[in-house]
Amino acid sequence: MQAYLQDAHHRGLTVGFVPTMGALHQGHLSLIAASNQVNDITVVSIFVNPAQFNDKKDFEQYPVTIEKDIEWLVAAGAGVLFLPAVTEIYPPGLTRERFFDLGYLETVLEGKYRPGHFQGVCKVMNRLLDIVQADDLYMGQKDYQQCMVVKRLLAIMQSPTRLHTCPTLREKDGLAMSSRNTRLGAEQRKNALAIYAALNYIKGQLRLGSTQSLTDNAAAMLTEKDFNIDYVTIADAGTLEPVTVWDGKQQLVALIAAFQKEVRLIDNMIMN
Ligand code: AMP
């Protein structure tokens, strides 16, 4: 991979990079399309990163559809697939773990409910970026906090790679596309719509002053559809600090994480 890309760099070609965990859907393809628009070569990685799963069962049950993924990548015009083995990314003998100082970002929301998750994300992204040396990196707003973490990582590494955060692709009924959606049964799939409904509710009802009743009512919408909630939060879009009283100006994002049976779903929406 490095030899191939070094040659491309020497020939003056630009490289866009789309890291994924496979089980590809249209959301992933939209990132590839964004990269293809500006870069000569688009590298897509498929690597289910054990380091970012705090829940072993979630890792074991993560969907793997590599044959279909490859067909989709060919059709999408992704030039290069990087499909490394775990030992290529984490060679045995690498014992001293690097700690990435993510500060406040790691203490809230996904960081709070999935301890170690973002250290795992940084660990793999650091390795992947080291190998791919991309000019441009494409990630989804669906994982809002992850984009912030990776932006921080790029700053820590003093990396010249540019991060592009791309819009969330949704199913026709509004459910955010996700590899985990394939694990939803028919009833859970219907219930899952409550996340999009709750985000739209918050956006539609947002007023100056206290936001408490909005998050309370949104949470009630979710529990009514059998969700077990990790969080329903309205936060500052730039820092992710919770906003309980809105001044009418602050940029806000609403974020939700909740379980439909054992399947954990996340989504978010920019409010203003
Ligand atoms: P994953 O394979 O779930 O790790 O996702 C790989 C990349 O695709 C990440 O940057 C995600 O944010 C992005 N992604 C996941 N779902 C969507 C979606 N519905 N729309 C746009 N991008 C997405």
Side-chain angles (χ1 to χ4, degrees):
M1 175 61 56
Q2 283 173 317
Y4 176 82
L5 291 174
Q6 260 167 26
D7 180 59
H9 275 302
H10 284 145
R11 289 193 291 137
L13 303 176
T14 63
V15 175
F17 181 34
V18 179
T20 82
M21 297 203 296
L24 300 180
H25 50 70
Q26 296 292 336
H28 297 117
L29 297 194
S30 73
L31 304 182
I32 295 168
S35 172
N36 276 342
Q37 266 188 7
V38 285
N39 291 287
D40 299 311
I41 296 176
T42 294
V43 177
V44 178
S45 65
I46 296 182
F47 181 64
V48 185
N49 172 33
Q52 75 186 66
F53 284 84
N54 52 315
D55 177 355
K56 192 163 165 265
K57 226 170 130 205
D58 188 27
F59 174 65
E60 284 163 357
Q61 293 182 356
Y62 200 83
V64 176
T65 59
I66 192 67
E67 300 299 327
K68 190 196 105 207
D69 290 352
I70 291 172
E71 281 172 29
W72 279 37
L73 289 174
V74 171
V80 183
L81 166 62
F82 184 36
L83 183 65
V86 174
T87 48
E88 279 181 283
I89 297 299
Y90 305 126
L94 260 186
T95 47
R96 205 184 278 166
E97 298 254 317
R98 177 167 184 165
F99 173 75
F100 300 90
D101 185 1
L102 303 171
Y104 176 75
L105 254 186
E106 201 177 359
T107 65
V108 288
L109 307 173
E110 294 301 285
K112 177 174 166 192
Y113 284 93
R114 301 183 68 186
H117 170 62
F118 286 132
Q119 288 300 319
V121 167
C122 286
K123 189 174 165 182
V124 75
M125 285 304 296
N126 188 32
R127 270 301 271 152
L128 292 172
L129 287 167
D130 197 31
I131 295 165
V132 176
Q133 305 277 334
D135 297 284
D136 295 275
L137 170 65
Y138 297 84
M139 303 189 79
Q141 190 205 308
K142 157 97 179 357
D143 299 281
Y144 191 92
Q145 192 174 7
Q146 174 170 270
C147 288
M148 293 177 69
V149 163
V150 170
K151 197 171 154 197
R152 179 77 174 257
L153 172 72
L154 292 171
I156 293 171
M157 306 311 295
Q158 297 189 302
S159 166
T161 302
R162 293 175 292 258
L163 172 65
H164 303 265
T165 302
C166 303
T168 302
L169 253 72
R170 299 180 178 282
E171 302 290 352
K172 279 203 182 71
D173 59 9
L175 178 67
M177 289 181 184
S178 164
S179 305
R180 287 191 173 86
N181 291 352
T182 57
R183 291 179 52 207
L184 296 169
E187 189 65 28
Q188 297 160 346
R189 173 64 183 79
K190 261 191 248 159
N191 289 344
L193 276 184
I195 294 186
Y196 187 56
L199 290 170
N200 275 315
Y201 163 79
I202 296 174
K203 187 168 181 171
Q205 297 299 314
L206 185 67
R207 304 281 183 276
L208 272 181
S210 172
T211 61
Q212 190 62 49
S213 68
L214 295 185
T215 41
D216 287 350
N217 292 340
M221 289 167 77
L222 294 173
T223 27
E224 196 181 312
K225 295 292 178 189
D226 292 338
F227 267 110
N228 266 322
I229 300 171
D230 270 354
Y231 57 80
V232 177
T233 307
I234 300 173
D236 183 287
T239 64
L240 287 187
E241 280 180 58
V243 174
T244 49
V245 178
W246 187 45
D247 63 5
K249 294 189 209 111
Q250 204 171 0
Q251 274 282 324
L252 301 181
V253 58
L255 307 109
I256 290 176
F259 285 87
Q260 220 12 265
K261 285 222 178 107
E262 76 285 3
V263 184
R264 187 172 185 277
L265 300 176
I266 63 170
D267 200 353
N268 66 81
M269 197 180 275
I270 301 282
M271 294 286 108
N272 57 321

